[in-house]
Short mmCIF file of all heavy atoms in Angstrom, two decimals:
data_model
loop_
_atom_site.label_atom_id
_atom_site.label_comp_id
_atom_site.label_asym_id
_atom_site.label_seq_id
_atom_site.Cartn_x
_atom_site.Cartn_y
_atom_site.Cartn_z
N VAL A 111 -30.07 -10.02 -74.55
CA VAL A 111 -31.43 -10.41 -74.14
C VAL A 111 -32.24 -11.02 -75.28
O VAL A 111 -33.33 -11.56 -75.04
CB VAL A 111 -32.22 -9.21 -73.56
CG1 VAL A 111 -31.40 -8.50 -72.49
CG2 VAL A 111 -32.65 -8.23 -74.63
N ARG A 112 -31.72 -10.97 -76.50
CA ARG A 112 -32.47 -11.49 -77.64
C ARG A 112 -32.74 -12.96 -77.44
O ARG A 112 -31.86 -13.74 -77.08
CB ARG A 112 -31.71 -11.26 -78.93
CG ARG A 112 -32.51 -11.58 -80.19
CD ARG A 112 -31.74 -11.25 -81.46
NE ARG A 112 -31.50 -9.83 -81.58
CZ ARG A 112 -30.28 -9.27 -81.49
NH1 ARG A 112 -29.22 -10.03 -81.31
NH2 ARG A 112 -30.13 -7.97 -81.61
N GLY A 113 -34.01 -13.34 -77.66
CA GLY A 113 -34.41 -14.72 -77.45
C GLY A 113 -34.92 -15.01 -76.05
O GLY A 113 -35.54 -16.05 -75.82
N ARG A 114 -34.67 -14.10 -75.12
CA ARG A 114 -35.16 -14.28 -73.74
C ARG A 114 -36.20 -13.23 -73.36
O ARG A 114 -37.12 -13.51 -72.59
CB ARG A 114 -33.99 -14.18 -72.75
CG ARG A 114 -32.91 -15.22 -72.95
CD ARG A 114 -31.88 -15.18 -71.82
NE ARG A 114 -31.17 -13.93 -71.76
CZ ARG A 114 -31.15 -13.13 -70.69
NH1 ARG A 114 -31.80 -13.47 -69.59
NH2 ARG A 114 -30.44 -11.99 -70.71
N PHE A 115 -36.05 -12.03 -73.89
CA PHE A 115 -36.97 -10.93 -73.58
C PHE A 115 -37.86 -10.66 -74.78
O PHE A 115 -37.44 -10.81 -75.93
CB PHE A 115 -36.20 -9.65 -73.25
CG PHE A 115 -35.44 -9.67 -71.96
CD1 PHE A 115 -35.26 -10.83 -71.22
CD2 PHE A 115 -34.89 -8.49 -71.46
CE1 PHE A 115 -34.55 -10.84 -70.03
CE2 PHE A 115 -34.18 -8.47 -70.28
CZ PHE A 115 -34.01 -9.65 -69.56
N THR A 116 -39.09 -10.22 -74.50
CA THR A 116 -40.02 -9.83 -75.55
C THR A 116 -40.67 -8.51 -75.20
O THR A 116 -41.27 -8.38 -74.13
CB THR A 116 -41.11 -10.89 -75.75
OG1 THR A 116 -40.51 -12.15 -76.06
CG2 THR A 116 -42.04 -10.49 -76.88
N ILE A 117 -40.53 -7.54 -76.10
CA ILE A 117 -41.17 -6.25 -75.90
C ILE A 117 -42.48 -6.22 -76.67
O ILE A 117 -42.57 -6.77 -77.78
CB ILE A 117 -40.23 -5.09 -76.35
CG1 ILE A 117 -40.80 -3.74 -75.94
CG2 ILE A 117 -39.95 -5.16 -77.84
CD1 ILE A 117 -39.83 -2.58 -76.16
N SER A 118 -43.49 -5.62 -76.08
CA SER A 118 -44.79 -5.54 -76.73
C SER A 118 -45.54 -4.32 -76.21
O SER A 118 -45.07 -3.63 -75.29
CB SER A 118 -45.61 -6.81 -76.48
OG SER A 118 -45.88 -6.96 -75.10
N LYS A 119 -46.69 -4.05 -76.80
CA LYS A 119 -47.48 -2.92 -76.34
C LYS A 119 -48.95 -3.17 -76.63
O LYS A 119 -49.29 -3.96 -77.52
CB LYS A 119 -47.04 -1.61 -77.02
CG LYS A 119 -47.17 -1.63 -78.54
CD LYS A 119 -46.79 -0.29 -79.13
CE LYS A 119 -46.92 -0.31 -80.65
NZ LYS A 119 -46.82 1.03 -81.24
N ASN A 120 -49.79 -2.51 -75.86
CA ASN A 120 -51.23 -2.56 -76.06
C ASN A 120 -51.68 -1.10 -76.22
O ASN A 120 -51.79 -0.38 -75.24
CB ASN A 120 -51.92 -3.23 -74.88
CG ASN A 120 -53.41 -3.39 -75.09
OD1 ASN A 120 -54.06 -2.54 -75.68
ND2 ASN A 120 -53.95 -4.50 -74.62
N ASN A 121 -51.90 -0.71 -77.46
CA ASN A 121 -52.24 0.70 -77.71
C ASN A 121 -53.53 1.11 -77.01
O ASN A 121 -53.65 2.23 -76.52
CB ASN A 121 -52.36 0.94 -79.21
CG ASN A 121 -51.04 0.82 -79.93
OD1 ASN A 121 -49.97 1.00 -79.34
ND2 ASN A 121 -51.08 0.49 -81.21
N ALA A 122 -54.49 0.21 -76.96
CA ALA A 122 -55.77 0.54 -76.34
C ALA A 122 -55.64 0.81 -74.84
O ALA A 122 -56.40 1.58 -74.27
CB ALA A 122 -56.76 -0.59 -76.58
N LYS A 123 -54.64 0.16 -74.22
CA LYS A 123 -54.42 0.35 -72.78
C LYS A 123 -53.32 1.36 -72.50
O LYS A 123 -52.97 1.58 -71.34
CB LYS A 123 -54.08 -0.98 -72.12
CG LYS A 123 -55.23 -2.00 -72.14
CD LYS A 123 -54.85 -3.25 -71.36
CE LYS A 123 -56.02 -4.23 -71.31
NZ LYS A 123 -55.67 -5.46 -70.55
N ASN A 124 -52.73 1.92 -73.57
CA ASN A 124 -51.62 2.88 -73.39
C ASN A 124 -50.51 2.29 -72.54
O ASN A 124 -49.90 3.00 -71.70
CB ASN A 124 -52.14 4.17 -72.76
CG ASN A 124 -53.24 4.81 -73.54
OD1 ASN A 124 -53.17 4.88 -74.76
ND2 ASN A 124 -54.29 5.24 -72.86
N THR A 125 -50.21 1.04 -72.75
CA THR A 125 -49.25 0.33 -71.91
C THR A 125 -48.29 -0.48 -72.76
O THR A 125 -48.71 -1.13 -73.72
CB THR A 125 -49.97 -0.58 -70.91
OG1 THR A 125 -50.86 0.21 -70.11
CG2 THR A 125 -48.97 -1.27 -69.99
N GLY A 126 -47.03 -0.45 -72.36
CA GLY A 126 -46.02 -1.29 -72.98
C GLY A 126 -45.53 -2.31 -71.99
O GLY A 126 -45.70 -2.16 -70.77
N TYR A 127 -44.91 -3.36 -72.51
CA TYR A 127 -44.49 -4.46 -71.65
C TYR A 127 -43.10 -4.94 -72.04
O TYR A 127 -42.66 -4.78 -73.18
CB TYR A 127 -45.47 -5.64 -71.79
CG TYR A 127 -46.91 -5.28 -71.54
CD1 TYR A 127 -47.76 -4.98 -72.60
CD2 TYR A 127 -47.42 -5.22 -70.25
CE1 TYR A 127 -49.08 -4.63 -72.37
CE2 TYR A 127 -48.74 -4.88 -70.02
CZ TYR A 127 -49.57 -4.58 -71.08
OH TYR A 127 -50.87 -4.24 -70.86
N LEU A 128 -42.46 -5.56 -71.07
CA LEU A 128 -41.22 -6.28 -71.33
C LEU A 128 -41.32 -7.62 -70.61
O LEU A 128 -41.24 -7.66 -69.37
CB LEU A 128 -39.99 -5.50 -70.86
CG LEU A 128 -38.65 -6.14 -71.22
CD1 LEU A 128 -38.43 -6.10 -72.74
CD2 LEU A 128 -37.50 -5.42 -70.50
N GLN A 129 -41.54 -8.67 -71.36
CA GLN A 129 -41.58 -10.03 -70.79
C GLN A 129 -40.15 -10.54 -70.74
O GLN A 129 -39.48 -10.60 -71.76
CB GLN A 129 -42.44 -10.94 -71.66
CG GLN A 129 -42.48 -12.38 -71.19
CD GLN A 129 -43.19 -12.55 -69.86
OE1 GLN A 129 -44.24 -11.96 -69.62
NE2 GLN A 129 -42.60 -13.35 -68.97
N MET A 130 -39.72 -10.91 -69.55
CA MET A 130 -38.35 -11.36 -69.36
C MET A 130 -38.36 -12.80 -68.87
O MET A 130 -38.89 -13.08 -67.79
CB MET A 130 -37.64 -10.45 -68.34
CG MET A 130 -37.71 -8.97 -68.70
SD MET A 130 -36.75 -7.93 -67.58
CE MET A 130 -37.67 -8.16 -66.08
N ASN A 131 -37.80 -13.68 -69.67
CA ASN A 131 -37.72 -15.09 -69.33
C ASN A 131 -36.27 -15.52 -69.18
O ASN A 131 -35.36 -14.81 -69.63
CB ASN A 131 -38.39 -15.93 -70.42
CG ASN A 131 -39.87 -15.61 -70.59
OD1 ASN A 131 -40.56 -15.26 -69.63
ND2 ASN A 131 -40.36 -15.74 -71.81
N SER A 132 -36.07 -16.66 -68.58
CA SER A 132 -34.71 -17.20 -68.40
C SER A 132 -33.77 -16.15 -67.83
O SER A 132 -32.65 -15.96 -68.31
CB SER A 132 -34.17 -17.71 -69.75
OG SER A 132 -35.03 -18.69 -70.29
N LEU A 133 -34.22 -15.51 -66.79
CA LEU A 133 -33.44 -14.42 -66.21
C LEU A 133 -32.14 -14.91 -65.62
O LEU A 133 -32.05 -16.03 -65.07
CB LEU A 133 -34.27 -13.69 -65.16
CG LEU A 133 -35.32 -12.74 -65.75
CD1 LEU A 133 -36.39 -12.40 -64.72
CD2 LEU A 133 -34.65 -11.47 -66.26
N LYS A 134 -31.13 -14.06 -65.72
CA LYS A 134 -29.79 -14.36 -65.23
C LYS A 134 -29.39 -13.32 -64.19
O LYS A 134 -29.90 -12.18 -64.22
CB LYS A 134 -28.80 -14.32 -66.39
CG LYS A 134 -29.13 -15.24 -67.56
CD LYS A 134 -28.16 -15.05 -68.71
CE LYS A 134 -28.49 -15.93 -69.88
NZ LYS A 134 -27.53 -15.75 -71.01
N PRO A 135 -28.46 -13.64 -63.33
CA PRO A 135 -28.01 -12.64 -62.35
C PRO A 135 -27.54 -11.35 -63.00
O PRO A 135 -27.73 -10.26 -62.44
CB PRO A 135 -26.86 -13.36 -61.64
CG PRO A 135 -27.24 -14.81 -61.71
CD PRO A 135 -27.87 -14.96 -63.06
N GLU A 136 -26.96 -11.45 -64.18
CA GLU A 136 -26.47 -10.24 -64.86
C GLU A 136 -27.59 -9.37 -65.42
O GLU A 136 -27.33 -8.27 -65.92
CB GLU A 136 -25.48 -10.60 -65.98
CG GLU A 136 -25.98 -11.65 -66.95
CD GLU A 136 -25.49 -13.04 -66.60
OE1 GLU A 136 -25.51 -13.40 -65.39
OE2 GLU A 136 -25.10 -13.78 -67.54
N ASP A 137 -28.83 -9.83 -65.34
CA ASP A 137 -29.97 -8.99 -65.71
C ASP A 137 -30.40 -8.07 -64.56
O ASP A 137 -31.28 -7.23 -64.75
CB ASP A 137 -31.16 -9.86 -66.12
CG ASP A 137 -30.90 -10.66 -67.38
OD1 ASP A 137 -30.32 -10.11 -68.33
OD2 ASP A 137 -31.27 -11.85 -67.40
N THR A 138 -29.79 -8.25 -63.41
CA THR A 138 -30.12 -7.41 -62.27
C THR A 138 -29.82 -5.95 -62.58
O THR A 138 -28.71 -5.60 -62.97
CB THR A 138 -29.31 -7.84 -61.03
OG1 THR A 138 -29.73 -9.15 -60.65
CG2 THR A 138 -29.53 -6.88 -59.87
N ALA A 139 -30.84 -5.10 -62.43
CA ALA A 139 -30.70 -3.69 -62.77
C ALA A 139 -32.01 -2.96 -62.45
O ALA A 139 -33.04 -3.60 -62.19
CB ALA A 139 -30.36 -3.52 -64.24
N VAL A 140 -31.93 -1.65 -62.50
CA VAL A 140 -33.15 -0.85 -62.52
C VAL A 140 -33.54 -0.68 -63.99
O VAL A 140 -32.72 -0.27 -64.81
CB VAL A 140 -32.94 0.52 -61.87
CG1 VAL A 140 -34.21 1.36 -61.97
CG2 VAL A 140 -32.53 0.36 -60.41
N TYR A 141 -34.78 -1.03 -64.29
CA TYR A 141 -35.27 -0.97 -65.66
C TYR A 141 -36.14 0.26 -65.84
O TYR A 141 -37.03 0.54 -65.02
CB TYR A 141 -36.07 -2.23 -65.98
CG TYR A 141 -35.18 -3.43 -66.23
CD1 TYR A 141 -34.50 -4.03 -65.18
CD2 TYR A 141 -35.00 -3.94 -67.51
CE1 TYR A 141 -33.66 -5.12 -65.40
CE2 TYR A 141 -34.18 -5.03 -67.75
CZ TYR A 141 -33.51 -5.61 -66.69
OH TYR A 141 -32.67 -6.68 -66.91
N TYR A 142 -35.90 0.96 -66.94
CA TYR A 142 -36.62 2.19 -67.25
C TYR A 142 -37.30 2.06 -68.60
O TYR A 142 -36.72 1.50 -69.54
CB TYR A 142 -35.67 3.39 -67.32
CG TYR A 142 -34.90 3.67 -66.06
CD1 TYR A 142 -33.68 3.06 -65.80
CD2 TYR A 142 -35.39 4.58 -65.12
CE1 TYR A 142 -32.96 3.34 -64.65
CE2 TYR A 142 -34.68 4.87 -63.96
CZ TYR A 142 -33.47 4.24 -63.74
OH TYR A 142 -32.77 4.51 -62.59
N CYS A 143 -38.49 2.61 -68.72
CA CYS A 143 -39.12 2.70 -70.03
C CYS A 143 -38.99 4.13 -70.53
O CYS A 143 -38.94 5.08 -69.75
CB CYS A 143 -40.58 2.28 -69.98
SG CYS A 143 -41.63 3.15 -68.80
N ARG A 144 -38.93 4.25 -71.83
CA ARG A 144 -38.83 5.54 -72.48
C ARG A 144 -39.78 5.58 -73.65
O ARG A 144 -39.93 4.60 -74.38
CB ARG A 144 -37.40 5.80 -72.98
CG ARG A 144 -37.20 7.21 -73.53
CD ARG A 144 -35.82 7.41 -74.12
NE ARG A 144 -35.73 6.85 -75.46
CZ ARG A 144 -34.72 7.11 -76.29
NH1 ARG A 144 -33.74 7.92 -75.91
NH2 ARG A 144 -34.69 6.56 -77.48
N LEU A 145 -40.43 6.72 -73.83
CA LEU A 145 -41.39 6.88 -74.90
C LEU A 145 -41.01 8.10 -75.74
O LEU A 145 -40.82 9.19 -75.19
CB LEU A 145 -42.80 7.05 -74.34
CG LEU A 145 -43.96 6.77 -75.28
CD1 LEU A 145 -43.98 5.30 -75.69
CD2 LEU A 145 -45.28 7.15 -74.64
N LEU A 146 -40.89 7.89 -77.04
CA LEU A 146 -40.66 8.98 -77.99
C LEU A 146 -41.95 9.23 -78.74
O LEU A 146 -42.44 8.34 -79.43
CB LEU A 146 -39.55 8.62 -78.97
CG LEU A 146 -38.19 8.25 -78.39
CD1 LEU A 146 -37.22 7.86 -79.51
CD2 LEU A 146 -37.63 9.38 -77.58
N SER A 147 -42.50 10.42 -78.60
CA SER A 147 -43.78 10.71 -79.23
C SER A 147 -43.78 12.14 -79.76
O SER A 147 -42.80 12.88 -79.61
CB SER A 147 -44.91 10.54 -78.22
OG SER A 147 -44.88 11.59 -77.26
N ARG A 148 -44.91 12.54 -80.31
CA ARG A 148 -45.05 13.91 -80.81
C ARG A 148 -44.95 14.93 -79.69
O ARG A 148 -44.74 16.12 -79.93
CB ARG A 148 -46.39 14.06 -81.53
CG ARG A 148 -47.59 13.71 -80.67
CD ARG A 148 -48.89 13.85 -81.44
NE ARG A 148 -50.02 13.33 -80.69
CZ ARG A 148 -50.63 13.97 -79.71
NH1 ARG A 148 -50.21 15.18 -79.37
NH2 ARG A 148 -51.66 13.43 -79.08
N LEU A 149 -45.09 14.43 -78.45
CA LEU A 149 -45.02 15.32 -77.29
C LEU A 149 -43.61 15.40 -76.70
O LEU A 149 -43.39 16.10 -75.72
CB LEU A 149 -46.00 14.84 -76.21
CG LEU A 149 -47.47 14.81 -76.63
CD1 LEU A 149 -48.33 14.28 -75.50
CD2 LEU A 149 -47.93 16.19 -77.06
N GLY A 150 -42.68 14.65 -77.29
CA GLY A 150 -41.32 14.69 -76.81
C GLY A 150 -40.87 13.35 -76.26
O GLY A 150 -41.43 12.31 -76.59
N THR A 151 -39.86 13.39 -75.40
CA THR A 151 -39.29 12.19 -74.80
C THR A 151 -39.70 12.12 -73.33
O THR A 151 -39.55 13.10 -72.61
CB THR A 151 -37.77 12.21 -74.89
OG1 THR A 151 -37.40 12.29 -76.27
CG2 THR A 151 -37.16 10.96 -74.28
N SER A 152 -40.19 10.95 -72.94
CA SER A 152 -40.59 10.75 -71.55
C SER A 152 -39.93 9.50 -70.99
O SER A 152 -39.77 8.52 -71.72
CB SER A 152 -42.12 10.59 -71.46
OG SER A 152 -42.78 11.71 -71.99
N TRP A 153 -39.58 9.55 -69.72
CA TRP A 153 -38.97 8.41 -69.02
C TRP A 153 -39.84 8.00 -67.84
O TRP A 153 -40.38 8.87 -67.13
CB TRP A 153 -37.60 8.78 -68.50
CG TRP A 153 -36.53 8.88 -69.55
CD1 TRP A 153 -36.18 10.00 -70.26
CD2 TRP A 153 -35.66 7.83 -69.99
NE1 TRP A 153 -35.15 9.70 -71.11
CE2 TRP A 153 -34.80 8.38 -70.97
CE3 TRP A 153 -35.51 6.48 -69.67
CZ2 TRP A 153 -33.83 7.63 -71.63
CZ3 TRP A 153 -34.53 5.74 -70.32
CH2 TRP A 153 -33.72 6.32 -71.29
N GLY A 154 -39.91 6.71 -67.61
CA GLY A 154 -40.55 6.21 -66.40
C GLY A 154 -39.59 6.32 -65.23
O GLY A 154 -38.40 6.62 -65.40
N GLN A 155 -40.07 6.03 -64.04
CA GLN A 155 -39.28 6.23 -62.84
C GLN A 155 -38.34 5.08 -62.54
O GLN A 155 -37.48 5.22 -61.68
CB GLN A 155 -40.21 6.45 -61.63
CG GLN A 155 -40.72 5.18 -60.97
CD GLN A 155 -41.80 4.49 -61.76
OE1 GLN A 155 -42.14 4.83 -62.89
NE2 GLN A 155 -42.38 3.45 -61.16
#
């Protein structure tokens, strides 16, 4: 995905992003976010 995807975050909004460009059929999947913090490990749905 290097060169096609960009990960970023907005700390003020407590939100992270994954911009995905030039998508290919092989990118088809369920995408999950994970956060490692002082409170432990959390996964999105």
